[in-house]
Amino acid sequence: MNLMSEFNLIDHPHRRYNPLNGEWILVSPHRAKRPWQGQVEKVVEDVRPKYDPKCYLCPGNERIGGHINPEYTEPFAFVNDFSSLLNDTPEGSWTDGELFKADSEQGICKVICFSPRHDLTIPQMEVDEIKPVIDLWQKEYNELGAIPFINYVQIFENKGSIMGCSNPHPHGQIWASKAIPVEPEKESIRQLAYFEKHGRTLLADYLDAELKKEVRLLASNDHFVALIPFWAVWPFEAMIVSRKQLQSIAQMNDAEKLALADIYKQLTVMYDNLFEVSFAYSAGIHQAPTDGKDHPEWHFHMHFYPPLLRSASVKKFMVGYEMLANPQRDITPELSAQRLRELPKVHYRLI
Ligand SMILES: [Zn+2]
Ligand SMILES: [Zn+2]
């Protein structure tokens, strides 16, 4: 056989398998070798005030609906004034033959302000200022998860207007629901099958392998590793995985929560430094459902899905083939990881 034509992941189009959700992604590394087209523009960023009298998340301000925020100094959670889920929806289901099916859904949606400061973001906050955010996530997961009808607590953050985030004040959301939503449900099924076969979590074995290979690692500390998954869809998609198997944030001790704050900052500083812009993303935690059962198959992790591709203004679109067939990327996850790893560790605004 001609060695030149032997299949490899650096030169040849290929499909990669995501063992967490059972889906495939198309990788076209030969296309990333084309010269980049278009300018790499810098975006002029507005300087935000520490307090904005018109912001409905700033301390002391009135929200739509008439609630007044307290003069909070620590991370602060409240029930979303425009909740997508309501806790008093009557139970029930509706069918009309085999093809029409609906179930009523109950839940609670909350907003978490990460800081009283309007002008900050996670990568600009100190680790000891992020730690209270993690403490509050844990408290909310425990409290919401203890409600009998809540079976899953989705903690997430939408950062940046291109991710549809309407307010730049640093904040995240929690949607707690009766149903286990689609993405965690897919991962639940795969992780359970793997755990039953091997007696270990899928992500424990995956993380061990990535720590040996080293090519997709971004950052680490005593308790967590940040990496670009082998099957990443978005150009700079990343995952934070706990070194120890933790089913959920409920099992984290103080040192682990501090370490999660640290890796959250390390990763988001890399992101901001990549194009020297406040880097947009959707991020969130995947962890054990709160359905009252033990979940030894679940391994705590966070996903980061950022849309930017090659500058502060050029984003990846999920269109055409990706909507109709499956996702596709050009730059390989290994090259993306290398680019992120080589960046300065200090936030660009502080240099
Ligand atoms: Zn604000
Ligand atoms: Zn996940």
Side-chain angles (χ1 to χ4, degrees):
M1 188 197 270
N2 180 354
L3 270 181
M4 292 299 286
S5 65
E6 210 164 281
F7 168 59
N8 71 69
L9 303 183
I10 296 164
D11 300 309
H12 300 138
H14 59 275
R15 303 173 82 207
R16 292 192 185 193
Y17 178 63
N18 179 343
L20 266 180
N21 64 14
E23 292 170 3
W24 292 81
I25 166 198
L26 179 63
V27 186
S28 312
H30 60 296
R31 300 213 318 167
K33 291 173 184 157
R34 294 174 307 174
W36 277 359
Q37 309 192 335
Q39 290 290 317
V40 175
E41 306 138 60
K42 284 222 170 168
V43 168
V44 181
E45 293 188 277
D46 26 300
V47 177
R48 299 205 304 270
K50 287 181 183 174
Y51 166 77
D52 178 351
K54 291 198 279 302
C55 168
Y56 62 87
L57 298 176
C58 275
N61 288 1
E62 184 175 348
R63 304 202 303 269
I64 303 159
H67 295 96
I68 311 275
N69 293 327
E71 293 286 348
Y72 64 94
T73 53
E74 291 275 295
F76 157 64
F78 61 90
V79 172
N80 195 322
D81 302 311
F82 298 98
S83 294
S84 300
L85 294 160
L86 302 169
N87 63 2
D88 54 359
T89 307
E91 293 230 21
S93 57
W94 175 92
T95 53
D96 185 2
E98 205 181 319
L99 302 178
F100 298 86
K101 230 182 182 180
D103 288 329
S104 94
E105 179 65 336
Q106 290 82 38
I108 295 166
C109 298
K110 296 183 94 167
V111 176
I112 289 195
C113 297
F114 293 161
S115 165
R117 286 266 303 267
H118 184 78
D119 58 330
L120 295 180
T121 58
I122 291 288
Q124 293 168 299
M125 288 164 65
E126 300 300 331
V127 172
D128 61 8
E129 295 170 328
I130 303 171
K131 164 74 168 34
V133 175
I134 316 291
D135 291 334
L136 187 53
W137 282 348
Q138 185 183 53
K139 176 175 175 276
E140 291 291 336
Y141 176 85
N142 286 338
E143 287 179 7
L144 291 165
I147 299 170
F149 70 87
I150 295 294
N151 293 313
Y152 196 78
V153 178
Q154 182 59 59
I155 295 170
F156 66 101
E157 178 193 3
N158 266 343
K159 178 168 173 272
S161 55
I162 58 171
M163 295 311 287
C165 181
S166 52
N167 187 325
H169 193 110
H171 71 285
Q173 299 190 54
I174 301 178
W175 292 19
S177 58
K178 185 180 80 174
I180 299 175
V182 174
E183 295 302 325
E185 175 72 5
K186 283 185 212 165
E187 294 188 1
S188 239
I189 292 166
R190 301 275 158 181
Q191 289 182 101
L192 181 60
Y194 191 93
F195 186 80
E196 284 176 342
K197 189 171 165 197
H198 300 281
R200 281 172 56 81
T201 65
L202 189 158
L203 283 178
D205 283 350
Y206 175 68
L207 186 59
D208 279 356
E210 288 288 23
L211 287 169
K212 285 193 193 97
K213 293 177 195 290
E214 294 187 336
V215 288
R216 282 172 293 274
L217 302 181
L218 298 176
S220 66
N221 58 33
D222 286 350
H223 301 286
F224 294 92
V225 176
L227 52 83
I228 301 220
F230 178 71
W231 53 82
V233 167
W234 295 92
F236 295 96
E237 177 177 333
M239 233 165 87
I240 290 174
V241 185
S242 61
R243 287 182 187 268
K244 191 170 103 189
Q245 187 232 340
L246 300 164
Q247 294 183 20
S248 73
I249 199 167
Q251 296 180 335
M252 278 182 207
N253 62 30
D254 244 30
E256 287 159 343
K257 287 188 285 178
L258 189 65
L260 181 57
D262 169 68
I263 198 115
Y264 193 10
K265 180 180 169 82
Q266 284 195 57
L267 175 61
T268 53
V269 166
M270 274 183 185
Y271 275 163
D272 275 13
N273 285 348
L274 182 62
F275 301 128
E276 299 201 342
V277 68
S278 180
F279 203 74
Y281 57 73
S282 281
I285 296 173
H286 276 163
Q287 56 189 333
T290 54
D291 53 2
K293 298 177 195 147
D294 188 29
H295 286 281
E297 77 281 14
W298 260 98
H299 192 129
F300 176 95
H301 60 281
M302 264 183 100
H303 293 282
F304 289 77
Y305 301 124
L308 288 181
L309 176 60
R310 58 172 175 254
S311 75
S313 56
V314 179
K315 66 173 277 217
K316 175 183 173 66
F317 288 98
M318 288 285 206
V319 294
Y321 190 79
E322 320 202 283
M323 292 178 93
L324 291 154
N326 61 226
Q328 182 271 346
R329 64 181 292 144
D330 291 348
I331 182 173
T332 60
E334 296 73 44
L335 276 176
S336 294
Q338 189 188 332
R339 282 196 66 188
L340 286 170
R341 268 198 313 265
E342 287 168 355
L343 294 166
K345 307 290 177 238
V346 179
H347 196 272
Y348 71 94
R349 287 202 172 190
L350 300 175
I351 295 172

